Amino acid sequence: MVALMDQINNNNQEVIERARERVIETISLNMHLYGVTPSIGRLYGTLFFKDQPMTLDDMKDELQMSKTSMSTSVRTLTDLNMVEKVWIKGQRKDQYEAKKDWYQIFFDYFTHQWRKVIQVNLQAINQSLRELEKLASDPSQLNVDESEEVNTTIEKLNYSKEYYAWLGQLFDQFESHEIFKYIKKPNEE
């Protein structure tokens, strides 16, 4: 009877490990959305399913990768605000664990990346607007077709500025969590 129970427990553990491994593999394949390699995604997935923090040595052993690679990967995940260092009394080695609030991870990464895009795009748009408005300020220098083209381009650039202002407001909703008033988290409905 004890042998049968051990076999059932082993089978259950295999199912659990297979299920986790499937998700870890999927996470690793999709981490390119965050601009990182699959191996860094595999580390995040591994940390996500661990119930306790891991040292770089633990990670190295678990993932069969070099300690240098683990250190670089942890640094990348920390910079993305997906992993954090935790202090454990009596432990001298640094310990790390995955942040498990995927909503916040998404907000942090998405808004940070898009705010950079908006800034770069608005700089280009504003510079172009200044040049075009200067050109439009002296209509005698433009023929009819050029004048129409300048005005159309200015309209399009102003439209794009409105879009980026709207995106900024959307990101404000993410960062303040106001978005959850309109789109509830599944467990909060």
Side-chain angles (χ1 to χ4, degrees):
M1 185 64 144
V2 171
L4 179 61
M5 289 305 292
D6 286 344
Q7 183 180 358
I8 290 171
N9 287 340
N10 286 341
N11 288 342
N12 291 344
Q13 276 307 117
E14 287 176 19
V15 170
I16 292 167
E17 286 304 312
R18 217 174 25 249
R20 286 180 173 183
E21 183 57 34
R22 184 180 306 114
V23 173
I24 289 170
E25 184 63 25
T26 302
I27 288 170
S28 75
L29 293 174
N30 291 315
M31 286 302 283
H32 70 279
L33 296 171
Y34 288 91
V36 299
T37 63
S39 61
I40 293 174
R42 176 164 285 289
L43 174 59
Y44 176 77
T46 300
L47 288 167
F48 178 77
F49 282 111
K50 287 294 178 188
D51 293 326
Q52 69 238 4
M54 295 177 76
T55 66
L56 292 176
D57 287 326
D58 296 336
M59 294 174 211
K60 173 184 75 97
D61 294 341
E62 178 93 14
L63 296 169
Q64 303 290 303
M65 296 172 68
S66 71
K67 192 171 181 177
T68 302
S69 178
M70 291 297 94
S71 178
T72 302
S73 298
V74 164
R75 192 174 323 109
T76 299
L77 290 169
T78 301
D79 291 345
L80 289 170
N81 207 22
M82 297 176 77
V83 166
E84 63 187 343
K85 188 188 309 188
V86 294
W87 181 80
I88 299 176
K89 186 176 181 176
Q91 296 288 322
R92 292 185 352 191
K93 291 184 177 182
D94 290 338
Q95 305 264 338
Y96 301 90
E97 65 184 5
K99 291 189 174 182
K100 296 184 170 60
D101 184 348
W102 285 6
Y103 299 94
Q104 191 61 49
I105 290 169
F106 173 78
F107 291 164
D108 291 345
Y109 180 77
F110 185 77
T111 58
H112 176 74
Q113 293 300 98
W114 270 98
R115 286 196 191 276
K116 288 192 307 191
V117 167
I118 289 171
Q119 180 182 6
V120 169
N121 289 354
L122 283 176
Q123 285 174 345
I125 290 167
N126 288 329
Q127 180 179 352
S128 296
L129 277 171
R130 284 189 299 274
E131 292 170 359
L132 291 170
E133 287 167 350
K134 181 178 179 185
L135 196 58
S137 71
D138 187 3
S140 67
Q141 298 296 314
L142 301 171
N143 65 38
V144 173
D145 290 340
E146 290 172 335
S147 180
E148 186 176 310
E149 189 174 356
V150 166
N151 289 331
T152 300
T153 303
I154 288 172
E155 285 177 20
K156 289 179 179 181
L157 293 176
N158 282 325
Y159 172 81
S160 64
K161 283 180 69 170
E162 291 171 2
Y163 167 72
Y164 290 123
W166 176 83
L167 268 184
Q169 291 175 345
L170 177 63
F171 301 147
D172 292 343
Q173 294 291 308
F174 287 163
E175 290 170 336
S176 69
H177 293 189
E178 290 288 314
I179 191 77
F180 293 125
K181 289 182 179 178
Y182 309 103
I183 304 171
K184 303 274 189 233
K185 290 182 185 178
N187 292 339
E188 295 179 0
E189 293 192 42

